[in-house]
Every structure is written in structure tokens, then in C-alpha cells.
Amino acid sequence: MRNVFLIGLSGSGKTTVGRLLAERLGRPFIDTDLLVEQRCGKRIATIFAEEGERAFRAREKLALQEAAASAGAIVATGGGIVLDADNRRLMAERGVRIFLSVEPETALERLRQQEAIARREGLSPEVRPLLAGDDPLAALRRLQAERRALYEEAEASCSTDGKSGEQVARAVLAALIALGALEGEEPLERQIRAGEGYAAIVDWGGLGRLPAYLARLELPRRVFLLSDQHVYDLYGPPLLRTLQRAGWSASSYVLPAGEASKSLQQLSAIYDWLVEQRAERREALLALGGGVVGDLVGFAAATYLRGVPLVQLPTSLLAQVDAAIGGKTGINHPRGKNLIGAFYQPRLVLADPATLLTLPERERTEGWAEVVKYGMILDAELFTLLETHAAALRDFSLPPASLLAQIIARCIALKAAVIEEDEREQGRRAILNYGHTLGHALENVTGYGEWLHGEAVALGMVAAAELACQAGFLAREEAERQRALLAALGLPTAYHGKPQAEALLAAIQLDKKVAQKQVRWIMPRRIGEVFQTTLPDELVSKVVRSLFGGENITRSSAGARQEEA
């Protein structure tokens, strides 16, 4: 990874954000102001008072040169470091510049809060020499006017007004990813033999290398980027900049975030936009986001002009291991999830695990349900691997990049093998729906929003294991291992909401796996092996009423053994 230089006014949050970034990425953090003080043995205010600004700038220049000699450091710079042309040139050569923009009023308020905190802690507050006059706000406004054009030379900018340090750190991370500033190990690639055939690539920081991957497809250089509001705010502007710098013409469409966007109304709005853009048959749609974006944009690609190229750019764990792979696209119907759609394979799937760094914890965590699913249905060794590393995978404070990429690539390979055998779910592919029968029903009856997809699937898997135990297919110890792993990864294993048993039983009848009015259940025999079967209505009713009738469904293995006895 190249150095990252944070530039901006005093009070823009460079030090706070820099420390968060360094912690998140496992990189060294350097503050050039602190470096000057350490090398000189004096506070900056003292240097200004005794030696003048010119002397300080000379010391600051040396500090920047020392910081720039590092490899992959996060560097918080002084507000005036951009005044020197040599400094600007050095930062451009040795790394990526990120401008943290802030309104002077916000900056002054933050600086005053810092002073107040220092006094409460019995410390001598830092005095910024250029703001030491009677009107610091006027001084900040003057400095902003003098330096703005120099700050805006940066490769990317992030506004910090009204945002926490954590929110700004996520935005900077997204900019670094989209600009291609993050580097990992060699990409992992799997050719999927479905449709016309396509590559699924797992590449840490690979989103910033999108232009090179697109060039392999030999498509027209005009593309259409579609994303939801949350993802676009983070990745849209820097990714468009990356595409444009590489010679691509990219237009963007932003849809509301959330499951409600998988609707006929939103699909129609996308059609209208594509018609307005005069999108042509060989021009690709880029689906940037999680499963909702991938499903919706995929269905638009399948049906607009009877099919245009689709590139999946999944930014959630759930989408990277599951939703973006295999060609299922679609929208929801008020009476059921994914009831309207098409099988339509993409031309490329680019899964960048680094994008998981910018997800809120809950949205990242839900994806582990689909990963556990692969262990349950196909790969006992993967299941054991997840058990071994569950704490690190859940914590994510210092993401295990290599392990994460390997897990995602392994899940992709598992799903690819299934869809190559049964692309349109006429047989074996149905096993990929383990936990989804009740999971989809729960999403539907609670209104698409109360439960994230992965959370609902986790509860569906707990219910499926309970059905398998009571039907005599699965040992109770195996069900307990599944429950324990889901819990260790931060997923729900108990339903405590409003009783939904009757609504769930009705919703199950609209599941896509219903054949001749009978639900085909995916049942585990052991970890790593499942099969498809029907179940007696009485058993299903009993288990659903027990688990979703308002009672706690978490059960210990000891309790289960006592009941069996």
C-alpha cells in the first residue's frame, strides 16, 4: 500500500481519522506536527514565537520527507503543508492525498472542544499560532480561501462536517479502495462455466483496478454504474474518477437503499433512465452494492433490450459469496421474496473483500450466515475453519485479509460447482436454499427491513436443523455446532419478536421450491451434507409454532439430550 497523506485545515480531523485508518489497516501512523515537536524538543507555538513561521516550515518540510520515506504509512499533515510546491510534489509521488474538507465554523468548534478537554484533563492545550488572534474564525476563513485550490489538488476529498471520525474513516477507506491504493496478495480467480462463461475474481483492493478488468471484456467504453445511496456516497465519486482517468465514459444512477428497492416501481425507473441515456445493447451495467442492488440491476440487465452485459461489483460479504454468483436476478412481490426474476449470468464478478472495511458491523455480520450455509451443505472443512477463526472473523478490528479472501474464493468455488451442474435450479442447485425457506418467509411477514437477509437466513438455518433433528435426520450435537458457530460470528439464533408462526406457515406455501403444493425442504444429514425432501405438515407446524410463536428458540445441547431421553 502507498502512503496516505491527509491534508486540510486545522480542525478537519486529520489526526483522529488518521489514527482510525492506521488501526483499521494495521499501518503506521505519523503526525508531521508531532514529528516536528519530537525532533525539535519544542511545542510548535514556541517554534513560531522563537524562530518564526519560516523556520517552522523548514522543519515541517524535513518531517514530511521523513514520513514520506515510510512504506504504507498514514500521515496526518499540518494545515499549511500544501503551501510548499516541493511538499505537494513529494506527496503526489510517494502516495495518495486525501483532502478532509471542513467548514471554518465546524473546525473552530472542534478546536475549542479539544482545548476544553485538555484543560479538564489538566493538560496545557495546544495553541495554533495562526489562530491565536482575536478572531480565529476570520483567520480560518482566510486560510481556507488561500489554500483551497491547493487542497483540491488531492486525488480525493471527503467532507467531515456533521460526521464522526468513524464515518470519515470509512469514507477515506472507500476512496482509497476505489482509487486503487490498497494492494493485497495475488487475486484469486475462478472461471464459471454458465451462460457465456465468466470470471469471478477475489481481489483485495481490486475495485480500484476495475478499468483493467473491464478492458478484458472488450466491450464499448461507455458504462452505466448503478448503486444505492449508501454505497454510492462512499464509492461512487472516486470510482467514477478512476474509470474516467482510464478512458471510460461512465454515467451513474442512484437508487434508495434497502430491500424495498427490489420493486417493480424501481425497476421501471431504471428502465426510464437507461432509455434517457440511450444505452445500447453492448454497453454494460455495473451493479455496485449488496444483494439488493445485484438482484435488481441484474434483472434490469436481463430484460432491457432483451439483455445487456452485466458486471457484478458486490460490496457486502453476503453478495460476494452468494448473491452475485450464479445469475439469479429479480425483484420482490408483495406476497413473496424474489418471485419475479430471471436467470441471467454476468460477464464478470469482481469481489473486493476490502469493501467490507466500510460496512457497518451489522451489515458485515449478516453475510456470515451464507458462509456458514456453504459449510453445512457442502464443506465440513470450511465449517471447521470458520469455527477455528470465528473470533477474528467477527471482530474485524484488524481484518485477516488473506484468510478472508480465501474464504470468499472457496465459497464462490463451491457455488460455481453447483450452478455449473444445475444452472436453472432444476435439481441440485436447490440445496443452496438451505435455511432460506423460513428465512425468506420471515423477511416477508416482517416487512423487508426488520431482519436483514443474513439474519433471517441464520434463524431459518436454526429452524431447519431443528426440523432435521426432530425428523431423525440430524444428530443434536451437529445442530448445536451450527448454532454455536452462528452465535460466535454474531448472528441471531433466537427469535424474540412478535409471534409470527401462523403468518410464516402461510408464507412458506409461496416458496419457490413448492412443487405440487408441497414444500421441498433442504435438510442436513450431517455437517457438509444435505438432501431435499418433503416433511409432514404436523412436524413443520409444531416446530414453527415452537420457534416463532414468541418462545425463546435457543437450546443447549445438554437440554436437548435431556428432552430426547
Side-chain angles (χ1 to χ4, degrees), residues 238-285:
L239 185 58
L240 289 172
R241 190 169 183 175
T242 293
L243 287 165
Q244 289 160 1
R245 282 179 171 175
W248 293 80
S249 172
S251 301
S252 59
Y253 180 89
V254 182
L255 54 111
E259 187 75 25
S261 282
K262 282 179 59 173
S263 67
L264 193 60
Q265 293 79 10
Q266 191 54 241
L267 179 67
S268 180
I270 290 174
Y271 291 148
D272 291 344
W273 178 72
L274 291 172
V275 171
E276 290 169 4
Q277 297 292 316
R278 298 190 177 182
E280 298 179 5
R281 181 167 287 171
R282 294 189 63 245
E283 294 172 336
L285 306 191

Side-chain angles (χ1 to χ4, degrees), residues 241-392:
R241 190 169 183 175
T242 293
L243 287 165
Q244 289 160 1
R245 282 179 171 175
W248 293 80
S249 172
S251 301
S252 59
Y253 180 89
V254 182
L255 54 111
E259 187 75 25
S261 282
K262 282 179 59 173
S263 67
L264 193 60
Q265 293 79 10
Q266 191 54 241
L267 179 67
S268 180
I270 290 174
Y271 291 148
D272 291 344
W273 178 72
L274 291 172
V275 171
E276 290 169 4
Q277 297 292 316
R278 298 190 177 182
E280 298 179 5
R281 181 167 287 171
R282 294 189 63 245
E283 294 172 336
L285 306 191
L286 313 182
L288 175 69
V292 169
V293 171
D295 284 359
L296 174 63
V297 177
F299 191 36
T303 49
Y304 178 72
L305 298 180
R306 296 190 177 92
V308 297
L310 170 67
V311 174
Q312 292 280 11
L313 304 173
T315 59
S316 70
L317 179 59
L318 187 148
Q320 289 176 3
V321 302
D322 190 72
I325 308 298
K328 278 190 176 181
T329 70
I331 58 175
N332 298 330
H333 185 275
R335 296 187 64 188
K337 185 178 172 75
N338 295 332
L339 292 184
I340 304 167
F343 288 95
Y344 190 71
Q345 301 296 340
R347 294 292 302 277
L348 169 70
V349 177
L350 176 57
D352 183 351
T355 59
L356 305 184
L357 292 167
T358 64
L359 284 178
E361 181 180 0
R362 184 184 176 197
E363 292 179 26
R364 184 179 64 247
T365 297
E366 68 155 331
W368 291 117
E370 296 286 359
V371 180
V372 174
K373 177 195 77 175
Y374 286 115
M376 284 296 297
I377 67 174
L378 289 167
D379 193 338
E381 290 184 1
L382 172 62
F383 192 96
T384 301
L385 181 70
L386 295 172
E387 289 178 312
T388 302
H389 297 284

Side-chain angles (χ1 to χ4, degrees), residues 59-132:
R59 294 179 184 278
E60 181 181 58
K61 190 170 188 174
L62 291 174
L64 180 64
Q65 291 170 357
E66 182 178 341
S70 302
I74 310 297
V75 184
T77 65
I81 209 159
V82 295
L83 296 171
D84 187 298
D86 290 338
N87 289 346
R88 300 198 302 274
R89 189 179 308 111
L90 180 64
M91 288 188 290
E93 291 173 352
R94 294 289 301 168
V96 178
R97 296 162 295 176
I98 306 292
F99 169 35
L100 301 187
S101 66
V102 64
E103 290 300 317
E105 293 79 5
T106 303
L108 182 59
E109 178 61 27
R110 289 174 180 168
L111 294 172
R112 285 174 171 165
Q113 288 176 358
Q114 292 172 12
E115 291 179 5
I117 291 171
R119 289 194 181 95
R120 284 200 302 270
E121 295 178 352
L123 303 174
S124 175
E126 180 181 359
V127 178
R128 287 167 172 80
L130 296 180
L131 305 178

